[in-house]
Amino acid sequence: MTDDTAPSPVRLKAVAGPGQPDPSPALEALYRGFEAELLVPLWTEIGDLMPKHPRSKAMPHLWRWDRLLELAGEAGRIVPVGRGGERRAIALANPGLGGRPFATPTLWAAIQYLMPGENAPEHRHTQHAFRFVVEGEGVWTVVNGDPVRMSRGDFLPQAGWNWHSHHNAATAPMAWIDGLDIPFSYLTESQFFEFGRERVASTEMGTPDRSRSERLWGHPGLRPLSQPESPSATPLLAYRWVDTDRALADQLALEAEGHAGTVSPGHAAVRFTNPSTGRDVLPTIRTEMHRIKSGASTLKRQEVGSSVFQVFEGSGTVKVGEREWSVKRGDMFVVPSWAPFSAQCDPAHACLDLFRFSDSPIFEALNAHRATTIDGE
């Protein structure tokens, strides 16, 4: 018998059923012994612990951008940004995850809102992060003293344990989405956090058109010889929309000319990568941009691991599991693990652009990733 006087959280009940032992007083007595010693037999749990395919607790869900922006603006008027709260970030809470601020079991997604002239104080954390800008201009994120411009369509990754702050040099508020692996770090109990300076130096509050990281690493196919190491996360702090847009447009143009270039008819896609390795930008997060031309659809796919999407431009229809939604610019939605997903662009729009981030690198590192296209779709 354990010396711990707290009640055992283990609760077992003898129930008749396939693969279960016949209920009896002896079995009930055995289960009471298991409870007292904090033991759980596999035969009572195998259906939940070892299902035939992933059964995510996360649910498909859609958040409307108009409503997110409205609530973030109200928060901007009444909730200060400062030491302690650190960020005016409002996280998506998946309805299947018990009210936790988690979009999926491994991914955090939030809208962050900064008022004109405001500064979000410096800190660092081991969780990997990025920012994606769907609206606005005029905010800079300062990473290890390097000011990085944030503009519509820009993707800004940031590896864990780097100092960072934000400042809004514009005359209007600005909102963007944050993506982090907070739930994964929380689950694995591996997180660290540290406060930085109350105020960053005036020299770091500049507004350069290009950050130092872009000047060093932002040249396609060219690696600076002064940087012989290959960091596990990208050293490039900004991936500009002009380059992403051109890459997607070129894929569709090649398809129109009869050449290979798209992942399926009318569906162009790119993955943001670490220029020093060609791998994902962050060890735990994969990021992509997808463009579906007018009237076209993606293939219907399902894969191990979860994803969060944001509509960058256009409108269309998305199907996630048994759910179907009409979506437009800014809307965000979750695709749980192994849930079938497809998207179609509204014929009234030139394209449907979707920003996607997922936890695929985690499962690939564990040799547990699997993906399939559903036949006939």
Side-chain angles (χ1 to χ4, degrees):
M1 176 71 74
T2 178
D3 292 332
D4 193 343
T5 58
S8 172
V10 177
R11 293 289 182 268
L12 301 171
K13 183 175 177 61
V15 178
Q20 297 298 309
D22 293 332
S24 68
L27 183 63
E28 289 286 2
L30 177 64
Y31 283 179
R32 300 297 81 75
F34 285 166
E35 290 174 355
E37 298 300 331
L38 301 180
L39 301 171
V40 179
L42 177 60
W43 61 81
T44 65
E45 303 291 327
I46 191 167
D48 185 49
L49 296 178
M50 296 182 176
K52 293 182 178 179
H53 57 77
R55 297 188 309 194
S56 180
K57 291 181 174 60
M59 298 170 59
H61 193 75
L62 174 73
W63 290 264
R64 295 293 184 187
W65 182 247
D66 291 347
R67 185 60 173 151
L68 290 177
L69 203 57
E70 177 185 1
L71 291 169
E74 184 66 15
R77 287 183 283 275
I78 63 177
V79 179
V81 171
R83 186 61 77 209
E86 295 296 299
R87 303 288 187 262
R88 193 184 291 111
I90 305 158
L92 309 185
N94 190 287
L97 299 179
R100 299 294 302 172
F102 301 159
T104 82
T106 53
L107 299 173
W108 163 287
I111 178 173
Q112 187 168 163
Y113 197 85
L114 205 61
M115 298 292 283
E118 279 189 329
N119 298 314
E122 185 181 66
H123 65 212
R124 64 178 178 175
H125 41 72
T126 48
Q127 295 91 340
H128 301 295
F130 71 80
R131 292 154 203 96
F132 178 71
V133 185
V134 74
E135 304 277 6
E137 177 92 27
V139 166
W140 269 254
T141 183
V142 183
V143 181
N144 294 328
D146 188 4
V148 187
R149 173 175 54 87
M150 296 171 58
S151 301
R152 173 166 159 77
D154 292 346
F155 167 67
L156 301 103
Q158 178 203 293
W161 214 236
N162 284 284
W163 295 110
H164 57 285
S165 60
H166 313 307
H167 69 99
N168 187 345
T171 57
M174 184 167 168
W176 63 91
I177 65 166
D178 290 333
L180 294 92
D181 59 3
I182 290 175
F184 176 72
S185 295
Y186 181 85
L187 177 68
T188 55
E189 300 178 341
S190 58
Q191 62 271 58
F192 290 87
F193 178 92
E194 187 175 346
F195 291 120
R197 297 166 294 172
E198 292 288 338
R199 298 183 181 278
V200 298
S202 58
T203 55
E204 299 171 6
M205 299 289 283
T207 55
D209 185 60
R210 290 192 303 153
S211 63
R212 296 195 298 272
S213 80
E214 292 170 87
R215 294 163 64 189
L216 191 61
W217 285 101
H219 306 283
L222 301 175
R223 176 174 180 150
L225 292 182
S226 62
Q227 309 295 312
E229 299 297 323
S230 295
S232 60
T234 180
L236 180 60
L237 298 178
Y239 294 69
R240 298 300 179 189
W241 172 244
V242 63
D243 301 314
T244 307
D245 181 45
R246 184 185 300 118
L248 295 169
D250 281 347
Q251 287 185 17
L252 290 173
L254 285 167
E255 178 186 80
E257 295 163 12
H259 305 295
T262 54
V263 293
S264 64
H267 177 193
V270 294
R271 180 174 300 163
F272 299 98
T273 59
N274 180 341
S276 71
T277 64
R279 297 180 180 273
D280 287 294
V281 288
L282 299 169
T284 54
I285 299 175
R286 174 163 296 164
T287 51
E288 300 168 344
M289 182 67 75
H290 296 252
R291 173 168 293 170
I292 308 158
K293 73 177 185 181
S294 182
S297 300
T298 68
L299 299 175
K300 190 174 186 179
R301 285 174 53 83
Q302 55 190 155
E303 67 177 286
V304 170
S306 53
S307 300
V308 179
F309 286 78
Q310 183 170 40
V311 180
F312 178 68
E313 189 60 86
S315 69
T317 302
V318 298
K319 298 179 181 180
V320 185
E322 300 299 318
R323 303 296 304 273
E324 180 175 330
W325 301 291
S326 294
V327 296
K328 57 183 174 54
R329 174 167 159 167
D331 290 348
M332 302 180 70
F333 59 93
V334 162
V335 180
S337 183
W338 211 241
F341 166 74
S342 62
Q344 181 177 22
C345 180
D346 188 330
H349 284 261
C351 62
L352 175 63
D353 286 351
L354 298 173
F355 173 76
R356 175 196 184 224
F357 68 101
S358 74
D359 51 17
S360 295
I362 297 172
F363 296 100
E364 289 180 351
L366 297 172
N367 199 29
H369 185 261
R370 181 181 297 186
T372 185
T373 299
I374 298 175
D375 292 338
E377 298 288 344

